[in-house]
Amino acid sequence: MELRQLHYLIAIADEGNLGRAAARLYVSQPALSYALRNLETELGIRLFDRHSGGVSATAAGLDVVAEARRTVAQAERITAAAERHRRAADGVLRVGFEASGAGELTTRARAEFARRHAGVRVEPKRFDWGQEADGLRDGRVDVAFVWLPADLTGLHAEIVHTEPRVAGLPGGHRLAGRAGISVLEVNDELLMWTERAPRAWVDWWAVNPRPDGSTPRWGPTNDNVEEMLEQVAEGAAICFAPAGLARYYARPDLVWVPLTDVEPLRVALAWPEGADNPLVHGFAAVVRELAGWRAGGPTAQNGPRSPRVTGGRGA
């Protein structure tokens, strides 16, 4: 049995159709059908029932596909571990972040680390909503600033930054001139959200449920921060975001107003558990120093300042 065959099984199970699975795998449908028949013969069991609409996994097939997923994930972790060591040997550190990351701390840490390690190339890697932890697990980055909540399974994480949340409103909105608002004051507003992130992440950002037990009015979806802000600016919905995003993505057609009664965003610096990469540990030391980190998180005096974000531009 080959790893390639396990990828085939997963694609067939996901798509429920050999034609779609073949297109996803960039192989011909006859070749995929032949590979599936050979694997079923090798295992001595039928993995999928064929029907007019496609295929459905048998009871045995469900078990085998579940094991295939675990095996493929483990193989990817092996590749990721090797890749991390290769990058360390080559003098490359890949730092992940989402949108505005940990604000100024993100840029300052990369710059200070590069200054102290002149022979190391620091490569920033931006992720879309809620994807930083997966990027660490699959080896796309070595260390990352992760917006919480997040699945930190298999990762070491330290909270290094917090910042308040704000509401992004289109220019001319009825609440645009306010110094601060309660989340309950926007209960009737359509709220931007994404299908790309885990549901727990979406609900935390949306403050779902609200303090009065109500649920948000879900508006349009988006795949990244630029799409979100474009739709807010045109008046399709409002959004919730960290205050730092208001500074880094300031637009004349948007107004940012602080939310006064929701918990702040916490940002963790994370890397794979047991990672023996001196570049990662060196970067973590720089971040701790710049954040004024103590056991349990950043010190209060070095926490982020609450920006002046009304009027469409951060301070």
Side-chain angles (χ1 to χ4, degrees):
M1 184 183 303
E2 300 176 2
L3 195 60
R4 170 181 57 85
Q5 293 172 297
L6 302 186
H7 282 286
Y8 285 2
L9 282 183
I10 293 169
I12 294 170
D14 287 347
E15 299 296 338
N17 180 281
L18 289 174
R20 290 196 298 269
R24 168 173 156 179
L25 294 164
Y26 299 100
V27 300
S28 70
Q29 183 172 337
L32 183 60
S33 297
Y34 180 76
L36 176 58
R37 286 196 301 272
N38 280 352
L39 184 57
E40 288 179 322
T41 299
E42 178 183 342
L43 296 176
I45 53 174
R46 190 176 73 257
L47 299 174
F48 293 92
D49 288 326
R50 282 73 165 172
H51 50 77
S52 59
V55 297
S56 301
T58 63
L62 290 173
D63 285 345
V64 170
V65 170
E67 291 299 330
R69 292 187 194 279
R70 284 190 279 269
T71 301
V72 167
Q74 183 60 45
E76 290 173 349
R77 285 194 289 271
I78 292 170
T79 301
E83 176 66 11
R84 286 192 295 269
H85 282 277
R86 185 193 65 76
R87 286 201 295 261
D90 290 345
V92 178
L93 181 71
R94 302 195 73 186
V95 179
F97 64 98
E98 174 177 344
S100 52
E104 295 175 0
L105 177 61
T106 310
T107 305
R108 290 175 59 211
R110 290 202 308 265
E112 179 60 19
F113 178 84
R115 186 187 68 79
R116 298 182 188 183
H117 301 79
V120 176
R121 186 170 77 254
V122 182
E123 297 181 353
K125 170 68 175 176
R126 198 197 85 166
F127 291 95
D128 292 321
W129 307 133
Q131 304 301 310
E132 315 96 297
D134 286 342
L136 285 167
R137 280 188 284 265
D138 64 25
R140 283 175 286 170
V141 290
D142 306 298
V143 63
F145 293 96
V146 178
W147 284 5
L148 302 180
D151 176 8
L152 298 175
T153 302
L155 304 177
H156 173 87
E158 302 171 358
I159 295 175
V160 296
H161 179 74
T162 63
E163 60 183 74
R165 284 188 279 174
V166 297
L169 311 172
H173 190 277
R174 60 185 175 84
L175 298 173
R178 295 279 294 276
I181 56 175
S182 163
V183 68
L184 297 178
E185 294 183 82
V186 292
N187 270 4
D188 293 333
E189 301 280 349
L190 291 176
L191 183 69
M192 296 294 308
W193 66 291
T194 182
E195 296 176 306
R196 292 178 61 89
R199 189 68 206 194
W201 189 97
V202 172
D203 284 337
W204 186 86
W205 275 104
V207 193
N208 182 31
R210 299 286 165 81
D212 63 356
S214 64
T215 59
R217 292 187 63 210
W218 301 108
T221 62
N222 66 91
D223 289 342
N224 53 59
V225 64
E226 291 83 6
E227 290 180 6
M228 179 182 76
L229 297 184
E230 186 64 25
Q231 293 183 82
V232 172
E234 70 184 27
I238 68 169
C239 69
F240 296 159
L245 192 145
R247 292 193 297 270
Y248 284 82
Y249 291 88
R251 294 175 51 141
D253 47 6
L254 291 179
V255 176
W256 298 96
V257 181
L259 289 164
T260 60
D261 54 355
V262 300
E263 62 181 319
L265 168 67
R266 298 177 303 150
V267 182
L269 185 72
W271 59 89
E273 286 181 348
D276 186 21
N277 184 338
L279 300 183
V280 168
H281 295 295
F283 186 79
V286 169
V287 172
R288 293 186 193 113
E289 179 182 324
L290 294 177
W293 193 85
R294 301 289 184 270
T299 59
Q301 63 266 33
N302 287 301
R305 292 175 299 166
S306 196
R308 179 168 53 85
V309 290
T310 57
R313 177 174 292 276

